[in-house]
Amino acid sequence: MPSAHPSTHDDLIDHLARSTPLQRGEAARVVLDVLAYFSEPAEEFVRRRHRELQSRGLTNTVIFERIASELPHRAVAPPELSTRQLRRIVYG
């Protein structure tokens, strides 16, 4: 699970606590679980989905078609960038 600064998602956690039956601590765990799910690198996602779909008895042809259709809808985390790389992005 990614380690997020406790106040990083306070607004979202507060919103979930107000708009759902979740307590604040439960809402914080949900937020961190969702962030972990969507920060999964593409390679790990492909391997995990292949295992899941294969366990349901699907063939590789169907599995790879489904994974290919799911990938564009994933929020795949970018690689970690150094300060130098970040500066290059900003300043060229």
Side-chain angles (χ1 to χ4, degrees), residues 10-84:
D10 279 347
D11 288 343
L12 177 57
I13 292 167
D14 290 341
H15 172 74
L16 287 173
R18 281 191 312 272
S19 64
T20 69
L22 296 174
Q23 297 296 316
R24 193 168 198 293
E26 295 168 320
R29 283 191 300 278
V30 168
V31 168
L32 290 177
D33 284 347
V34 169
L35 290 172
Y37 178 82
F38 282 111
S39 67
E40 181 180 37
E43 295 82 7
E44 288 180 29
F45 171 76
V46 169
R47 285 190 288 270
R48 178 180 59 79
R49 284 300 287 152
H50 185 269
R51 281 191 310 273
E52 292 171 356
L53 297 170
Q54 194 173 45
S55 73
R56 295 181 193 168
L58 299 176
T59 64
N60 275 342
T61 302
V62 173
I63 290 171
F64 292 128
E65 286 177 12
R66 182 165 307 171
I67 292 172
S69 72
E70 292 174 353
L71 273 173
H73 304 286
R74 295 282 302 169
V76 180
E80 281 192 35
L81 300 172
S82 68
T83 302
R84 182 176 183 217

